[in-house]
Amino acid sequence: MDFKYDVIVIGAGHAGCEAAAAAANLGSKTCLITMDMNKIAQMSCNPAIGGIAKGQIVREIDALGGYTGLITDKTAIQFRMLNRSKGPAMWSPRAQCDRGKFIWAWREVLENIPNLHIWQDTVTELIVKDKEVIGLKTEWDVTFHAKTIILTAGTFLNGLMHVGRTKVAGGRIAEPASYKLTESIAQHGIQYDRMKTGTPVRIDGRSVRYDLMEKQDGESDFHKFSFMNIGERQLKQLNCWTCFTNEEVHEVLRVGLPDSPLFNGQIQSIGPRYCPSIETKIVTFPEKEQHQLFLEPEGESTQEYYLNGFSSSLPLDIQLGALKKIPAFKDLVLYRPGYAIEYDFFDPTQLTHTLESKVIRNLFFAGQVNGTTGYEEAAGQGIIAGINAHINCHGGNAFTLGRDEAYIGVLIDDLVTKGVDEPYRMFTSRAEYRILLRQDDADVRLTPKATAIGLATKERSDLLAAKQEAINSVIEFAESYSIKPALINDTLELLGTTPLQQGCKLITLINRPQITLTNIAEHIPAFKRVLDKIKDRKEEVIEAAEIQIKYKGYIDRERMIANKLSRLENIKIKGKFDYANLQSLSTEARQKLAKINPETIAQASRIPGVSPSDINVLLVLASK
């Protein structure tokens, strides 16, 4: 058999689903190839979406017309906005989801997108001609031809799982690994290496003493992941629980260290620094007497729970024995042990900002094959790869996002410019313009871009226009309305802030930390009427307007800095220099610049090993 498509996506994880949906919705004839149609968008680790910085990525995917946010809202069993004690640049949405319902919600979406077909099979070989990918072959001896191919194989490429000294081949527990494909790609000159990550035990909730744990409630306010969603949550909302390890737990773990693949040399791959195993924690922080654990539900009706904070590859008897030293887990029953997995990934510095390979034309990489970890980072890459694969098929300008435009832009720029020396995980600290990249304004930043390329629906664009109009009306009223001391001073004292000595604009009062739009409007009839006119998304509009008012100075200053630095982004240097022969550059800079071949001076400045003096040399040469 021989099939022909515009875009083929290999792997139906979070990157693959977003990539296939984007390409198909833009009009490309698309095929999504997966080893198991019943595991589409499987949450192989924690069934949770979002978190610090990751939540911002999901909001951005949604603003671009992706589906992760919509499906998360549909299947959420607990929602929380993290970091609310900090400024809005740090607020990050997070939801615990029903694992099974999440899979089927994604499958329902994908099976009903025009132009999108799904094929269940395992890809074994790429077909490449004159440094351009033109198709692939599968385990069932089927040949596909395509104009573009996106590889989103996750942890399946030569995947190997470890529990103690036991090794089992697979891409996830109970799922086979993918063989031959890495070698098929590498033979064309694309470099690859090995990475490792891990996942905790799964617990039978019936064996847990919840009365000995601390309950962690969810939130029920207006916040959602998708800008399209309003109304009540569809599923029953559940609690999470917390407890701590103790010295008895640590002593059992220490006994098992000689049999830990992470410490006995069994695993040599690159591992995560920011999400370490429990055995790594007790070795790295021997002075700590306890580590916090989070017990989180896997679904609305299942008894299966995920023990966040207890990732491990120790032998099963060590894992279980250690956990039983925690009072709440004295009678613990497990569904399966935690395990480590190692797998192949490809050096992302071999990609352009569109995620297209620099070595093989029309071949894109997205997700964990680029050295990242996390569903959100994968999905963010997937939607960008899907958009650009479509553009490669049908024409148009490359679609990329800057570091001042999106966390997705920061993520991709970090990957292709700096590469990875551990599984890459997004943090707010990685974004130098995070006050511009808030979760509340992702639609304002990105939906117009999605509209321009035809990915955002008219409904989404109209909702954004109505929201912006409502926000502007609130801000304009606050800027123009004058208020007298006699009208408001009693209220100000009641709210714990200094009374006015003379009249001022309402916006001046709103900037006070004790004042919110809601609590001040109750005492200013004219302002209350303005807020009451907002019919749809009232709470969302009020929050957005308040952030813009209170943080205007910070936002304007960061935008000014971003604009100043953007001139370096406009100085194109790709293909202009023979770096190996520029003796005025340092040896390290020559090597790094030749390898990355940066698009702009700004990208060159972010390459590790390229110094400010090297950048000055490039600026002088570029001016000539």
Side-chain angles (χ1 to χ4, degrees), residues 285-393:
F285 308 104
E287 74 285 355
K288 292 200 69 170
E289 296 180 354
Q290 60 181 22
H291 295 280
Q292 190 170 25
L293 305 178
F294 300 85
L295 188 64
E296 300 169 330
E298 298 243 342
E300 186 181 26
S301 56
T302 181
Q303 290 293 340
E304 187 174 353
Y305 278 76
Y306 177 96
L307 190 59
N308 201 342
F310 203 88
S311 177
S312 180
S313 63
L314 287 164
L316 171 58
D317 60 328
I318 297 294
Q319 294 185 40
L320 183 57
L323 287 171
K324 285 193 171 185
K325 298 296 184 181
I326 298 172
F329 298 149
K330 179 176 178 293
D331 302 313
L332 194 65
V333 175
L334 299 183
Y335 281 117
R336 60 183 182 273
Y339 62 89
I341 182 168
E342 53 180 336
Y343 53 92
D344 297 338
F345 79 99
F346 299 91
D347 180 358
T349 62
Q350 301 170 104
L351 306 175
T352 69
H353 280 79
T354 65
L355 297 179
E356 183 181 7
S357 170
K358 296 176 182 177
V359 180
I360 301 176
R361 294 188 304 279
N362 291 326
L363 176 61
F364 292 79
F365 293 77
Q368 285 189 267
V369 292
N370 287 338
T372 63
T373 182
Y375 315 135
E376 304 83 2
E377 290 89 342
Q381 294 170 68
I383 195 168
I384 298 300
I387 292 168
N388 284 294
H390 166 81
I391 289 170
N392 275 24
C393 293

Side-chain angles (χ1 to χ4, degrees), residues 57 77 101 126 150 160 162 169 216 282 287 305 349 389 412 419 434 453 460 495 511 523 558 569 576 604 622:
I57 291 176
I77 52 178
K101 291 182 172 66
L126 292 186
I150 307 172
L160 183 64
H162 302 258
Q216 191 176 53
I282 65 168
E287 74 285 355
Y305 278 76
T349 62
I412 292 175
R434 54 186 173 271
I453 62 172
R460 183 180 289 275
L495 294 173
N511 273 303
H523 304 279
E558 198 152 281
E569 299 284 2
K576 291 187 176 181

Side-chain angles (χ1 to χ4, degrees), residues 14 41-49 97 99 102-103 202 375:
H14 302 268
Q42 167 71 294
M43 292 167 145
S44 51
C45 203
N46 192 356
I49 291 290
C97 296
R99 180 192 300 276
F102 190 92
I103 291 171
R202 299 308 197 275
Y375 315 135

Side-chain angles (χ1 to χ4, degrees), residues 77-269:
I77 52 178
Q78 190 194 78
F79 181 93
R80 296 174 65 211
M81 183 67 74
L82 306 183
N83 277 346
R84 287 304 296 264
S85 62
K86 301 179 181 179
M90 306 296 286
W91 297 354
S92 302
R94 181 186 188 273
Q96 198 74 17
C97 296
D98 185 301
R99 180 192 300 276
K101 291 182 172 66
F102 190 92
I103 291 171
W104 288 99
W106 253 116
R107 181 165 169 176
E108 181 182 359
V109 165
L110 294 172
E111 289 187 357
N112 289 284
I113 293 178
N115 303 316
L116 177 56
H117 299 160
I118 301 175
W119 178 260
Q120 184 167 298
D121 204 342
T122 300
V123 177
T124 57
E125 180 183 349
L126 292 186
I127 303 172
V128 177
K129 182 178 180 181
D130 298 327
K131 290 292 183 179
E132 180 175 350
V133 70
I134 60 172
L136 57 83
K137 294 182 180 179
T138 75
E139 198 169 64
W140 287 105
D141 198 27
V142 180
T143 299
F144 288 79
H145 283 93
K147 297 176 182 177
T148 60
I149 291 176
I150 307 172
L151 179 66
T152 68
T155 61
F156 281 78
L157 298 178
N158 296 316
L160 183 64
M161 295 174 288
H162 302 258
V163 179
R165 295 185 182 274
T166 301
K167 294 184 282 188
V168 178
R172 280 190 294 252
I173 199 159
E175 296 182 56
S178 173
Y179 300 104
K180 301 180 182 178
L181 186 54
T182 296
E183 292 73 18
S184 171
I185 295 169
Q187 70 176 336
H188 299 287
I190 294 178
Q191 298 175 346
Y192 73 96
D193 206 336
R194 297 281 280 175
M195 268 191 180
K196 66 185 176 190
T197 187
T199 189
V201 296
R202 299 308 197 275
I203 286 172
D204 186 332
R206 295 170 297 181
S207 65
V208 175
R209 286 283 305 275
Y210 296 101
D211 58 314
L212 299 178
M213 304 186 79
E214 183 176 343
K215 185 167 66 172
Q216 191 176 53
D217 295 318
E219 298 172 1
S220 57
D221 67 5
F222 70 94
H223 288 103
K224 303 283 193 306
F225 269 103
S226 177
F227 292 99
M228 304 289 286
N229 280 336
I230 56 176
E232 298 297 320
R233 301 199 179 278
Q234 297 184 27
L235 301 185
K236 179 183 177 182
Q237 299 300 287
L238 303 177
N239 299 316
C240 293
W241 306 83
T242 65
C243 64
F244 291 87
T245 62
N246 54 50
E247 188 53 40
E248 287 185 90
V249 174
H250 299 174
E251 186 56 39
V252 175
L253 295 173
R254 290 188 192 100
V255 171
L257 287 178
D259 291 320
S260 168
L262 299 175
F263 292 97
N264 64 12
Q266 187 171 311
I267 297 179
Q268 297 291 331
S269 310

